[in-house]
Amino acid sequence: MAGDSPSWKRRFRPRPDTASPAARQGGTDPAQDAPRGSGEGPAASLTPGGAHEDGRGLTASLPAAPDAAEQPPPTRGRFDAVKRGVRKGGAGAKAGLGFVADRIIDIAPRIPVRDLATLRAQFPGLGPEELADKLVAGAAATSATVGAGVGAAAMLPVPPALPAELAAEITAVAAIEIKLIAELHEVYGCRPPGGLRERGLAYVGSWTEERGVDVTKPASFNGALSSTMKRELRQQIMKRTVRSLPNLVPFMIGAAVGAMMNRRDTKHVAAHVRKDLRRMQVAWEDLPALPPIERPGELPPELPKELGH
């Protein structure tokens, strides 16, 4: 219409529904009354200092950097600490296995073994298989007694002594089974040549591999264990240790489990060795006259007294 102001000069009036409560009640809106650029409006409340003096606009407040003492340690440091702990624990376990292996090698020639003549005198009227069954049953009962003893010891309030008890059990059971293997070789007419040490190491290798000693291959028992055989011996000890861990369960449960598992393991080793010896068996009437087995010295104190019989 004529006389009206142009549209670009018209002042914008807010709609009633968008006006502030003060404006709807007849007052004035503080946001509209505030002078432009004064820095006192709502935008100015975002920063306490308002605009810079050089007119660059409003300043932004940044959060203060956290103190270095409050920062968490870096992930790499924690990872390196874990690696060092695992490496240290692995070195300790390896040293423990090496100690048990060396102990078994040391006591093997000192284990008393009955020769065929002694066995036939103690069990008269039995053939090779019946005599072997008697030997396996006796060795299984002895190893079960050792396992039950360690399981009963787990009830005592001395946790630091349990690793030593476990190592003593592995050594004792190994001695029982090595004696069994040696006497099974006598029963089946497969005595390895050599003295106490040579035969003892040959029986340690037989226990490690759970196989009979092949007397037709002298290279398989040369009086000293090779590095490969020692590594396999440590692996066998590790397997026995893992299988013996349930023996440490308290409340006499470990005693029952230890007795059962040791009996089973001894019979398992005997079954494997007998399977090999049957293929190499020499009949008693065809055996040449063999000298009696010399008796070793005093039995090591950590071994069961039953081994001396």
Side-chain angles (χ1 to χ4, degrees), residues 251-266:
F251 305 113
M252 294 304 293
I253 299 176
V257 173
M260 181 267 295
M261 296 188 68
N262 281 4
R263 182 184 293 109
R264 184 197 63 184
D265 288 343
T266 300

Side-chain angles (χ1 to χ4, degrees), residues 103 106-108 110-112 297-305 307:
R103 189 59 184 156
D106 179 62
I107 67 176
R110 303 164 59 187
I111 299 173
E298 186 179 356
L299 192 69
E302 69 267 27
L303 299 185
K305 301 302 181 184
L307 287 179

Side-chain angles (χ1 to χ4, degrees), residues 15 33 40 47 63 102 120 149 157 177 213 234 256 299 303:
R15 296 171 54 187
D33 293 343
E40 298 179 357
T47 57
D102 292 340
R120 295 185 68 178
E177 294 176 356
V213 178
R234 289 193 294 268
L299 192 69
L303 299 185

Side-chain angles (χ1 to χ4, degrees), residues 229-306:
M229 185 63 66
K230 288 182 179 180
R231 183 171 62 252
E232 293 177 356
L233 176 59
R234 289 193 294 268
Q235 292 174 355
Q236 176 75 333
I237 294 171
M238 172 61 78
K239 290 191 296 184
R240 289 302 186 95
T241 303
V242 173
R243 290 204 293 265
S244 298
L245 289 178
N247 300 8
L248 305 181
V249 178
F251 305 113
M252 294 304 293
I253 299 176
V257 173
M260 181 267 295
M261 296 188 68
N262 281 4
R263 182 184 293 109
R264 184 197 63 184
D265 288 343
T266 300
K267 291 183 176 181
H268 175 81
V269 172
H272 281 257
V273 173
R274 290 178 70 178
K275 182 179 179 180
D276 276 351
L277 293 178
R278 288 190 186 102
R279 294 187 289 101
M280 303 177 288
Q281 182 176 3
V282 179
W284 288 348
E285 56 272 12
D286 298 333
L287 281 174
L290 296 175
I293 296 179
E294 58 270 38
R295 298 287 294 180
E298 186 179 356
L299 192 69
E302 69 267 27
L303 299 185
K305 301 302 181 184
E306 291 81 359

